[in-house]
Every structure is written in C-alpha cells, then in structure tokens.
Amino acid sequence: MTRMAFALLGLLALVGCGERPQPPPPPDKAELQRFPFGGDFALTDHRGAPFHLQDQRGKIVLLFFGFTSCPDACPTTLFKLGQALKLLGEGPDGLLVVFVTVDPARDTPKALGEYLANFSPPAVGLSGDDGQIQQVAARYGASYKRGQDTAGGGYLMDHTDRIFLIDQQGALRYLFSRDDPPEKIAELVGKLR
Amino acid sequence: MSKRPIAGQITRWLILTWAGLALAGCGEAPDTIVVSEPWIKEPMPGRALTAGFMVVENRGSAEEVLLGLECPDAEAVEMHEMFHEGDMMKMRRMEQWTIPAQGRLVLEPGGGHLMFLGLRRPLKAGEEVQLGLHFKKAGHRTFSVPVKKP
C-alpha cells in the first residue's frame, strides 16, 4: 500500500515536471477596477425632476439600462439588486439604484415611478429624449435598439444588460455581467463602503 | 350513512375508481408531452405584461411542435427566445418551437420564455391561471399555472 502511494506520488511529480509553474487560478475574487469611461450626465427622474449624476457624490450608484415592458431580464436585474442590497444588511443610506430607460417613448416618468414603487430600497427611474439617453448609453459603453413588434402594438427592445457600479466620486468601478450573483454585487459594493 | 360493512365500501370505491381511470384512458395514446414546473412571474407594478416559464418534455419518438398558446387572462401569449450578443440582451419572437423526439424545451429566467401581453387583471403571487398549449401532434392541452414572485 505504502509503495503504491509512493509510486503514485512519483508519477504525479513527473507529470508536473515539464510544466511551467503556474499560480493557482484565482478563486473568482472580483476586484474593483477603474474604467476610463462613464461619467456625469443629466436626465429626468420619475418624479419629473432633473437628475444630475454629479449631485449623487458621496453615494454608491448601481446603474442599469432597461425598459418597463421587458418581461424577464429587467425585473430579474432589479430583483438581483434587491437581494444584493439585502445582503449588505444596512439601510439604503449612501446607495442609489438607478434605472435608465431605453424606451422613453413608453416609459414616461409616471410609468417608471409605478414600476419602481415596490422596489426596496428606493430606486430612481430616469428618462429623457432618445438622443439624451443614447448619449448616456454611449458614455457607459452600452447600447440599445428597438427590436421586433409584439402583439397589441408593442415592441421589444434589445439592450446592454450590465450593471454599472459607480463610486462615491462618480467613477465607474465595475461592470457586472448578467451571470454575476447578488453575492458578488454585495461584495464589491461592500469594498467601496 | 350506509350500514354496508366498511370493507365492502372500500372495494366498491376501488372498483369505481378503477373503472373511471380505465374509461378516462380510453382511446388516448400514452402521453408523450409532459409539462413540468410551469410558473408565471408576478408582473411588476403597473405593468400589464409578464413572463412565464416551463419545461416541455417530448417523450415521443417523433418531433413535436409547439404552435402557440392562449390564456384567458392575457390578450396574447408569445413565445420568445432570448439570447446574448456580447453584453446585449436580445429577444426574438418565435413562430413555433420544435421539440425533438425525446427532447426538452426548457423555458427559464434568463432564457427562452413565454411573454404574456395585455394582462386582463393584475396577477398576484399565489393565484393560478389557465394556460392552453397547442401542439401540432398532441393537440390542445390546458394547464393550471401558478403565479409566483421571481
């Protein structure tokens, strides 16, 4: 038995011989980054008031693009953000969730207000004219486009489904992808606090 | 209350149940389409639309086609494929969905889904809605589908 164990060990050592020593793969530890894009913008919030990102200095902002007629992806993103913020276990102070519509024709401030009404902690829904929203999207490396028509005169929107993490100084610090779990969002937001 | 002995009553019930089951099965081929885990997402406040999910399994030896759906609580139910190009989320309406022999159609959050449009009442978690599925071979099937929170 012992001999066999030694033989196995030897074999393993041999197999390892020809290979360049490699650091162990990172255990999926996400680190904050600093992106050279993003930045301030102005749109209209769901109460009809002007919204300037620079007025949110001192707050961590989680921003994403979506539309309220989105059946699956956008409610899922909101739900995920809700879970992440719950994991952080503190009040909404110092944190703001921002939903920028990519469908200003249908997403009036009133529609955005209704849509976000039950979301906790409070979120801000932003709208504007298509040109303004295209500009904000471009600034964040996001894009959107009207898709197919649906029954009843509606239509679908194709859009970037990342969540943008903006720090207290207004800098873009992380781009969450659709597969990132709420735990990862909570972890990175926690690092900014 | 009958004075018949209890054992006799049970036997009678068993026979009736068995006869009923036998009758229900009459003329029907073994079910090749099995729908599991159906659910509808509770709509966001103020929105008359939502998504639904399910797994449709084709246990038959020939391909099956899901041609369409209907729900008395919605103006229309569309079949949507969702896919990603880079970080873009895209949706496309499907005219039909083909389910290969011994294959499955999996509709789940983040993937293909049913889009319920023009909801006729605000659906709440805990309620059930009737959903009809039209298959090319298996014909029309109706299921009771629960509404749930995401």
Side-chain angles (χ1 to χ4, degrees), chain B residues 43 48 73-74 118-124 127-130 147:
Chain B
D73 294 309
L119 292 176
R120 295 186 171 117
R121 61 186 179 100
L123 301 179
K124 290 280 166 220
E127 295 177 349
E128 302 239 325
V129 302
Q130 297 301 304
V147 180

Side-chain angles (χ1 to χ4, degrees), chain A residues 37-93:
Chain A
F37 53 95
D40 289 331
F41 61 83
L43 287 170
T44 304
D45 77 11
H46 61 266
R47 292 174 211 89
F51 176 96
H52 297 274
L53 187 67
Q54 60 262 43
D55 294 343
Q56 306 303 322
R57 291 289 185 274
K59 282 187 185 166
I60 298 166
V61 174
L62 286 158
L63 178 146
F64 71 104
F65 296 87
F67 65 114
T68 70
S69 307
C70 168
D72 183 31
C74 308
T76 302
T77 302
L78 256 185
F79 182 71
K80 194 199 276 190
L81 284 171
Q83 281 181 312
L85 300 192
K86 230 177 254 173
L87 284 171
L88 286 161
E90 288 167 50
D93 291 351

Side-chain angles (χ1 to χ4, degrees), chain A residues 14 67 88 100 127 135 145 158 175:
Chain A
L14 267 173
F67 65 114
L88 286 161
V100 180
S127 191
Q135 231 175 22
K145 206 176 128 215
D158 298 337
L175 307 178

Side-chain angles (χ1 to χ4, degrees), chain A:
Chain A
M1 194 66 191
T2 320
R3 258 172 63 192
M4 229 170 97
F6 272 120
L8 252 172
L9 215 73
L11 200 72
L12 279 174
L14 267 173
V15 168
C17 258
E19 281 179 19
R20 194 156 53 89
Q22 291 238 335
D28 200 26
K29 265 253 177 278
E31 291 299 335
L32 289 169
Q33 298 170 35
R34 209 168 269 280
F35 293 92
F37 53 95
D40 289 331
F41 61 83
L43 287 170
T44 304
D45 77 11
H46 61 266
R47 292 174 211 89
F51 176 96
H52 297 274
L53 187 67
Q54 60 262 43
D55 294 343
Q56 306 303 322
R57 291 289 185 274
K59 282 187 185 166
I60 298 166
V61 174
L62 286 158
L63 178 146
F64 71 104
F65 296 87
F67 65 114
T68 70
S69 307
C70 168
D72 183 31
C74 308
T76 302
T77 302
L78 256 185
F79 182 71
K80 194 199 276 190
L81 284 171
Q83 281 181 312
L85 300 192
K86 230 177 254 173
L87 284 171
L88 286 161
E90 288 167 50
D93 291 351
L95 257 173
L96 188 67
V97 168
V98 174
F99 175 107
V100 180
T101 183
V102 295
D103 184 15
R106 288 184 295 182
D107 288 348
T108 57
K110 183 173 174 279
L112 286 168
E114 279 174 1
Y115 188 79
L116 298 170
N118 291 358
F119 182 74
S120 172
V124 175
L126 299 184
S127 191
D129 65 43
D130 190 52
Q132 289 174 305
I133 296 171
Q134 287 284 7
Q135 231 175 22
V136 176
R139 186 163 286 185
Y140 279 81
S143 55
Y144 64 90
K145 206 176 128 215
R146 181 172 164 156
Q148 276 181 326
D149 290 344
T150 62
Y155 51 87
L156 301 169
M157 295 294 302
D158 298 337
H159 63 89
T160 298
D161 62 356
R162 286 188 180 280
I163 299 170
F164 300 83
L165 175 61
I166 301 164
D167 71 14
Q168 294 92 328
Q169 287 75 46
L172 180 56
R173 302 299 303 274
Y174 203 81
L175 307 178
F176 295 105
S177 77
R178 69 190 75 91
D179 300 321
D180 286 335
E183 290 76 14
K184 181 168 171 184
I185 300 173
E187 185 196 337
L188 287 181
V189 169
K191 284 185 181 181
L192 283 176
R193 294 188 126 187

Side-chain angles (χ1 to χ4, degrees), chain B residues 32-36 55-60 99 102-105:
Chain B
T32 54
I33 290 294
V34 178
V35 168
S36 54
V55 177
V56 185
E57 191 181 345
N58 176 11
R59 293 184 178 169
I99 313 161
Q102 302 295 318
R104 298 194 320 158
L105 169 67

